[in-house]
Amino acid sequence: MDAKNRYQVIVIGGGHAGCEAAHAAARLGARTLLLTQNLDTVGQMSCNPAIGGLGKGHLVREIDALGGIMGKVADRGAIQFRLLNRRKGPAVRGPRGQMDRVMYKREMRSLLEGTGNLFMRQAEALSLVMEGSEVRGVLSDWGDVLEADAVVLTTGTFLSGLVHIGERQFAAGRLGCRASYPMAESLKSLGLTMYRMKTGTPARLDGRTIHWQRLTEQPGDEEPYPFSFLTGKVSCEQVPCHITYTTPATRQIIRDNLHRAPLYSGQIQGIGPRYCPSIEDKVVRFADKEVHQIFLEPEGRHTHEIYPNGLSTSLPIDVQWAFLRSIEGLEDVLLLRPGYAIEYDMIDPRQLSSDLALKGFRGLYFAGQINGTTGYEEAAGQGMVAGLNAGLYVLGRSSILFDRSQSYLGVMVDDLVTKGVDEPYRLFTSRAEFRLLLRADNADERLTPIGRELGLVDDQRWQVYLDKISSIERAKEVLAQSRVLVDGLLPNGEGGYRRLAMDLLRRQDVDLDSLLARVGLSDLSEPVRTALEVEVHYAGYLDRQDSEVERFRRAEEVKIPDGVNWEAVHGLSTEVRQKLQRVGPGTIGQAYRIPGVTPAAITAILFHIGYS
């Protein structure tokens, strides 16, 4: 084989999952190829021009803490920063940023091109090259066989992609890109269980034709909260978004045209996302609601293109014109691109192990929408896990598995491989049992040492992490040893006596700035200050969750041997046997999380494997 066609890892697809997977494998030292239909769309934001949010922002911080790239690129490409739930508890605060779509893509391409061991090529992957159950490479539309020991499939919505705009439908991976039918057939030939999913996107609008003065402006935060732990103070000029609302006329136009909506005419067979429904779906499901909030989000600093968040649709173009112009501020709006729905093939993720490798095969990994998820961040997180493990596999190293007590990466992957999906999966903080421990602010404390051990975390990131930990410990030591006058620190006017600074910090009503100043800690960075405040204020709750984590990990330590004959396990119902056979749990903890597996079934399994 010509050396130019020989790699260790091939990543198919240049979306968010593919970028993260290729970077991770290459950083480990594996010779990696990122194979994509079009190099100009590497890092493309196919739908909304935003990164982060509740749960999603936690994922971005975790990817960054491990040495990934989405957070760094987002900070470079952002035009507005907002920390969601800022006034709520630390576990549910989620960083979110509006992106300049062009800048984000440019920065992603630049970062990937600067990564050692990483090569890129524009070609379509037609099929996998297999030798029995082992992957040997990929056949491209150049006619080449690209050889590799591991392949990561991150095909997004391209597998048998079918776009719907009203009654019109045509094959595409997304608008303007061709669908991948050969690779879909290649996967089906392996005997995989596959389903159809559906997602959609709104029309894009010409901002010069919007009556902005009638709308409510939504500015960014005065003190931006970055995604990457390496980003210092954010100083870019922020661009505002705006808020508008649909009207009763909007609702009526949509209702009058539901018979032309592919979602309701029977034209679309795939399952759509519950948490990001189309506007026609909202009108039907929330029939008593007269108006719906819409966010008008700029697509970048140097374009007038606007993304109307909340107006995803597959209605015919003439209906899109009509309902958009019935919305406040959009009475004279011009459409630049139509909204559309897209159906695509995905695999049942319960066919994957926790390292996102395909069970029963060697060297095949899957990440992103092909696993039934929705969202850039979920895709990037899976890309990180799959790319890491593909790289470790070809280098002869053990897989890295993330558990639910350790990260949202672990929560997401475990949900997918244990429970499967019946709709496009979206990550929420509520999916985590230990969310007070899995905060956005402490992702580095949880994961950067792991990234360092793997070889992903470079010296600069490691030093930033060490400096933060050192500052936290120094501050705790000062607070534990300093006694200060309470005068002016408490709102009720208490005074005339001294208290230990650490005890005062535990009070929610203390003037924190003044307290830190009195003990010489005014110079604490915001990350250190946040970590200190959370650790002290929530000490009791954190201790309780630590105890719960210990119980969780004890269940995870009880391994279930490979190849268990579930038919031979006495006391199981047929339904439970089928579920255990489909998932193939590796631990008692994972078996317990399979829907329908009862405590009695767990007892039967423990007896069968001889655990006492």
Side-chain angles (χ1 to χ4, degrees):
M1 169 76 62
D2 191 329
K4 72 177 183 299
N5 287 338
R6 171 64 188 154
Y7 303 92
Q8 291 173 289
V9 175
I10 294 175
V11 178
I12 299 174
H16 302 279
C19 291
E20 213 66 63
H23 177 265
R27 283 281 297 149
L28 289 179
R31 179 178 166 86
T32 303
L33 174 67
L34 178 61
L35 189 65
T36 176
Q37 283 186 0
N38 188 348
L39 287 172
D40 293 334
T41 59
V42 168
Q44 176 95 342
M45 305 182 82
S46 301
C47 193
N48 63 311
I51 295 291
L54 303 181
K56 293 171 175 285
H58 291 70
L59 269 182
V60 180
R61 297 277 283 179
E62 290 184 352
I63 293 166
D64 183 75
L66 281 165
I69 51 180
M70 178 175 260
K72 289 196 289 186
V73 174
D75 284 343
R76 296 174 189 177
I79 58 177
Q80 187 195 96
F81 292 86
R82 294 188 70 223
L83 182 62
L84 306 185
N85 283 347
R86 184 181 285 270
R87 293 183 177 85
K88 294 187 178 181
V92 294
R93 295 173 192 157
R96 185 181 190 274
Q98 289 297 133
M99 299 294 122
D100 182 311
R101 191 187 296 273
V102 173
M103 189 183 302
Y104 184 93
K105 186 169 62 172
R106 184 190 70 198
E107 293 294 332
M108 179 64 77
R109 174 80 178 266
S110 174
L111 198 153
L112 291 174
E113 289 182 335
T115 301
N117 302 312
L118 178 55
F119 304 85
M120 291 192 280
R121 186 180 295 190
Q122 179 169 304
E124 181 177 352
L126 298 180
S127 63
L128 297 171
V129 177
M130 305 294 296
E131 186 176 297
S133 61
E134 294 190 36
V135 69
R136 292 303 185 199
V138 173
L139 174 65
S140 83
D141 64 352
W142 288 13
D144 292 337
V145 172
L146 306 174
E147 189 176 312
D149 301 311
V151 172
V152 184
L153 288 111
T154 69
T155 50
T157 60
F158 280 64
L159 286 184
S160 305
L162 186 65
V163 164
H164 300 265
I165 306 175
E167 299 88 351
R168 183 185 175 206
Q169 53 183 308
F170 51 90
R174 59 179 166 234
L175 206 60
C177 299
R178 67 182 183 274
S180 175
Y181 282 87
M183 181 55 73
E185 293 306 313
S186 178
L187 293 178
K188 289 173 184 175
S189 73
L190 298 180
L192 302 187
T193 300
M194 302 182 72
Y195 304 114
R196 292 289 275 176
M197 284 287 185
K198 168 260 176 188
T199 190
T201 193
R204 304 305 195 270
L205 312 178
D206 187 337
R208 294 168 296 185
T209 63
I210 295 174
H211 301 293
W212 297 106
Q213 70 279 7
R214 301 182 194 173
L215 308 180
T216 302
E217 185 177 288
Q218 185 186 47
D221 289 343
E222 291 184 8
E223 297 182 12
Y225 187 96
F227 289 102
S228 176
F229 289 93
L230 295 181
T231 301
K233 189 175 179 61
V234 176
S235 57
C236 69
E237 181 181 354
Q238 299 195 66
V239 178
C241 297
H242 287 77
I243 299 172
T244 186
Y245 296 86
T246 61
T247 64
T250 313
R251 183 176 64 167
Q252 193 59 52
I253 292 168
I254 293 170
R255 281 180 171 174
D256 290 344
N257 288 278
L258 283 176
H259 64 286
R260 302 180 64 195
L263 193 62
Y264 291 98
S265 68
Q267 185 173 307
I268 288 179
Q269 302 298 317
I271 302 167
R274 181 193 312 179
Y275 301 105
C276 187
S278 65
I279 187 62
E280 52 265 39
D281 207 12
K282 290 180 188 177
V283 165
V284 172
R285 286 167 50 188
F286 308 107
D288 58 335
K289 195 168 184 178
E290 290 200 350
V291 300
H292 297 275
Q293 190 177 58
I294 306 300
F295 294 90
L296 299 178
E297 302 173 346
E299 297 254 341
R301 293 187 186 277
H302 308 293
T303 178
H304 294 290
E305 194 164 352
I306 301 296
Y307 179 92
N309 195 334
L311 285 176
S312 176
T313 186
S314 59
L315 284 162
I317 293 178
D318 61 301
V319 182
Q320 293 187 40
W321 277 104
F323 81 66
L324 282 164
R325 288 190 162 195
S326 71
I327 295 171
E328 186 177 1
L330 306 185
E331 293 86 353
D332 301 304
V333 76
L334 294 179
L335 277 67
L336 299 179
R337 312 170 198 249
Y340 63 92
I342 183 168
E343 286 185 285
Y344 53 94
D345 287 347
M346 57 153 287
I347 69 163
D348 184 338
R350 290 173 294 186
Q351 298 168 106
L352 304 176
S353 303
S354 295
D355 56 359
L356 295 183
L358 185 62
K359 296 174 183 176
F361 293 83
R362 290 178 60 81
L364 270 181
Y365 297 81
F366 292 74
Q369 284 176 287
I370 193 172
N371 291 342
T373 60
T374 181
Y376 306 146
E377 304 82 3
E378 288 87 348
Q382 292 170 76
M384 166 67 81
V385 175
L388 268 175
N389 282 303
L392 292 169
Y393 169 75
V394 302
L395 296 173
R397 298 167 61 184
S398 299
S399 295
I400 175 73
L401 306 180
F402 298 93
D403 71 46
R404 302 181 71 90
S405 67
Q406 179 186 48
S407 63
Y408 277 99
L409 288 171
V411 171
M412 174 177 62
V413 170
D414 185 65
D415 280 349
L416 293 173
V417 304
T418 301
K419 302 174 184 177
V421 298
D422 54 14
E423 63 185 9
Y425 176 95
R426 179 177 179 178
L427 186 69
F428 295 101
T429 55
S430 58
R431 294 190 188 272
E433 299 88 341
F434 313 111
R435 64 182 184 178
L436 189 55
L437 299 177
L438 307 183
R439 306 184 309 276
D441 66 87
N442 74 343
D444 56 340
E445 297 172 53
R446 292 182 279 117
L447 297 173
T448 296
I450 295 173
R452 181 68 171 182
E453 185 177 347
L454 289 169
L456 284 178
V457 170
D458 60 20
D459 291 343
Q460 178 196 9
R461 181 180 293 279
W462 186 240
Q463 192 59 52
V464 168
Y465 166 75
L466 292 177
D467 289 346
K468 175 184 172 181
I469 298 303
S470 175
S471 295
I472 293 171
E473 293 306 313
R474 179 180 69 87
K476 286 164 63 176
E477 185 176 333
V478 170
L479 289 163
Q481 295 176 355
S482 303
R483 299 183 69 84
V484 298
L485 276 173
V486 301
D487 303 59
L489 295 177
L490 302 174
N492 56 9
E494 289 183 50
Y497 61 93
R498 291 179 178 272
R499 289 283 301 276
L500 201 62
M502 184 66 83
D503 292 338
L504 287 171
L505 182 59
R506 292 190 178 98
R507 295 185 55 160
Q508 298 283 352
D509 58 353
V510 72
D511 183 333
L512 184 60
D513 290 330
S514 297
L515 174 61
L516 294 176
R518 291 187 191 187
V519 295
L521 295 175
S522 297
D523 60 342
L524 288 183
S525 67
E526 188 59 34
V528 171
R529 177 174 160 149
T530 299
L532 188 66
E533 196 174 357
V534 170
E535 187 174 333
V536 174
H537 280 173
Y538 295 92
Y541 297 102
L542 292 169
D543 289 344
R544 191 179 309 160
Q545 288 220 331
D546 282 336
S547 299
E548 293 169 356
V549 166
E550 284 304 310
R551 288 196 294 273
F552 166 84
R553 286 187 172 157
R554 283 197 293 272
E556 293 299 302
E557 287 171 1
V558 182
K559 305 296 183 183
I560 298 175
D562 292 335
V564 169
N565 179 7
W566 297 108
E567 293 296 329
V569 181
H570 297 294
L572 300 182
S573 68
T574 300
E575 178 188 6
V576 167
R577 282 195 175 95
Q578 290 172 346
K579 289 181 175 181
L580 290 166
Q581 183 65 43
R582 183 186 300 120
V583 175
T587 68
I588 286 296
Q590 187 183 9
Y592 220 144
R593 292 190 294 277
I594 299 173
V597 175
T598 63
I602 294 297
T603 300
I605 296 169
L606 288 170
F607 180 80
H608 182 81
I609 65 175
Y611 180 83
S612 58

